[in-house]
Amino acid sequence: MTQIDYYFSTLSPFTYLAGDGLEKIAARHGAQITYKPLDIIALFPRTGGTPPAQRHESRMAYRMQELKRQHKKTGMPINFKPAHWPTNAAPSSYAIIAAQSAGGGDVGKLVQAFLRACWAEEKDIAEDAVVRACLTEAGFDAGLADSGLLTGAETYAANLEEGVSNGVFGAPFYITDSDERFWGQDRLDDLDLHLSGKL
């Protein structure tokens, strides 16, 4: 079975705009996804990047144009300047890590619930009530918000180190078990073609 390591941030608008594209591709090819949330703000300076707020105005302007174009392509609702962004991504990331370990629900749906809460629903994904609601929506026990916090913190940190070692420099980022790397939701079609043996 093909393995896809999925590195992402629950604060990333481009990860949000990926929707359930990765999950559909994985289902089509019988691939398994391992979800690896990481600290994107810590990732940038370690891999030659700059956090959005510190970028040159030309890069910030281009980012906004690209977000608007991708929004139009997907038709997904989005607030380009959400009320609770940036926020602390750790609580949502820990919940995803705990849910993936516990099983019993849909991890992809959980990731999308957090991203939608941030980018379309004006919710603070660092708040306990929001974390619990997203867990419940995705079929998990809301109590996972309180469990495995130490493991969550350790795994979250380990995902960052592993991502840096594996060439990850942004989000979303997809790596197959043959070490083919794809950066950005706009490369999902290329990932699909690769898994089809056409690229």
Side-chain angles (χ1 to χ4, degrees):
M1 176 181 287
T2 299
Q3 170 69 39
I4 302 170
D5 286 340
Y6 179 25
Y7 296 90
F8 64 94
S9 167
T10 54
L11 297 179
S12 164
F14 292 103
T15 301
Y16 166 62
L17 290 170
D20 62 355
L22 176 62
E23 287 75 18
K24 287 179 177 176
I25 290 169
R28 191 157 49 246
H29 295 283
Q32 180 177 334
I33 303 168
T34 300
Y35 294 85
K36 295 180 176 286
L38 50 69
D39 184 343
I40 193 78
I41 302 303
L43 176 71
F44 285 137
R46 294 187 57 185
T47 56
T50 307
Q54 298 174 21
R55 291 174 186 167
H56 187 272
E57 61 184 26
S58 62
R59 288 176 58 88
M60 293 174 71
Y62 182 83
R63 176 181 180 273
M64 184 55 67
Q65 284 191 348
E66 185 65 6
L67 279 174
K68 290 178 178 178
R69 284 193 288 259
Q70 297 301 320
H71 156 64
K72 288 179 180 178
K73 284 170 66 176
T74 65
M76 296 172 67
I78 187 171
N79 182 343
F80 296 109
K81 296 183 179 180
H84 304 286
W85 184 92
T87 189
N88 182 4
S92 57
S93 299
Y94 294 177
I96 291 165
I97 291 164
Q100 184 166 231
S101 178
D106 187 328
V107 182
K109 187 174 181 181
L110 177 61
V111 171
Q112 291 151 35
F114 281 124
L115 289 159
R116 186 176 64 251
C118 177
W119 289 97
E121 298 174 348
E122 296 288 47
K123 296 177 182 175
D124 186 350
I125 60 172
E127 291 184 356
D128 187 62
V130 175
V131 172
R132 289 174 175 277
C134 289
L135 282 163
T136 300
E137 176 186 334
F140 293 100
D141 181 353
L144 289 173
D146 303 319
S147 67
L149 297 181
L150 178 58
T151 299
E154 290 174 343
T155 303
Y156 190 51
N159 288 346
L160 173 62
E161 297 305 319
E162 181 185 293
V164 170
S165 295
N166 290 340
V168 175
F169 51 82
F173 209 102
Y174 318 97
I175 304 180
T176 69
D177 47 11
S178 59
D179 196 33
E180 288 292 320
R181 306 170 195 178
F182 302 86
W183 171 46
Q185 88 296 339
D186 55 343
R187 292 295 181 266
L188 281 170
D189 287 344
D190 287 350
L191 172 60
D192 194 12
L193 289 169
H194 169 70
L195 295 177
S196 300
K198 300 176 182 177
L199 191 63

